Amino acid sequence: MISVEQRYQRVIELFSENMPVAETELHYGNPYELLVAVILSAQCTDKRVNMVTPALFEAYPTPESLAAASVEEIYGYIKSVSYPNNKARSLSGMARMLVEEYGSEVPHDFDKLIALPGVGRKTANVILSVVWGESTMAVDTHVFRVSERIGLTEGSKTPLATEKTLLSHIPSGLVPKAHHWLILHGRYVCKARRPECPDCFLKEVCRYYQSPK
């Protein structure tokens, strides 16, 4: 039986060897575009978001232009994503707040980010991690599931508990990359219904794979 510390060390080694490049799959050109894309990605695939955002960004290339648009106009561009009515309202409110309170700049501050419509803890952590390389761990369904299966977390009942556990064991300089390691692994290998265990490079250290079935 390996210790928690040993498991983390080996998982980090294996990810470093097998996934040296790990970054967001959302397409964006600046912090404003990433913020829009992350809001749209809630309970929606990055692939779908990337199909929607080119036309959206062409129509509304700045917070000012998005703030000037009606919710109905925004909806027309994003109607194929999940929950388009709610997201159209969130994007409209977010853009207005960026313009009116933050000088049209995406704030580099957690509390200011989560004050924006459509932005919760996960989205704020993504922005801080991807844009500024901060040691924040955004816990989505993939991170929550994969962390538990591998054995990095045990009995974490909430995303916040998972976030705190991961941050307490992963070296701060690796946290931004580790966030994407876990997301991409959950997206393509450690899938929710049918994890592809035989092809997984974490088999030797994975609690789920090693446990009696």
Side-chain angles (χ1 to χ4, degrees), residues 35 98 102 105-110 112-113 116 127-128 132:
L35 180 56
L98 282 185
Y102 301 143
E105 297 291 331
V106 176
H108 183 181
D109 179 88
F110 179 83
K112 290 180 179 178
L113 282 167
L116 293 167
I127 299 302
L128 292 172
W132 289 289

Side-chain angles (χ1 to χ4, degrees), residues 55-108:
L56 181 68
F57 293 154
E58 183 176 0
Y60 310 117
T62 64
E64 291 90 348
S65 58
L66 187 61
S70 69
V71 171
E72 292 73 24
E73 289 171 330
I74 297 170
Y75 173 87
Y77 287 93
I78 68 168
K79 58 186 177 182
S80 66
V81 305
S82 59
Y83 307 105
N85 288 299
N86 289 340
K87 290 177 181 178
R89 288 192 292 270
S90 292
L91 291 179
S92 176
M94 176 274 291
R96 290 198 306 273
M97 193 167 179
L98 282 185
V99 172
E100 294 169 4
E101 298 192 26
Y102 301 143
S104 299
E105 297 291 331
V106 176
H108 183 181

Side-chain angles (χ1 to χ4, degrees), residues 27 33 48-60 77:
H27 298 164
E33 289 186 355
R48 169 55 57 184
V49 172
N50 289 335
M51 294 171 65
V52 165
T53 50
L56 181 68
F57 293 154
E58 183 176 0
Y60 310 117
Y77 287 93

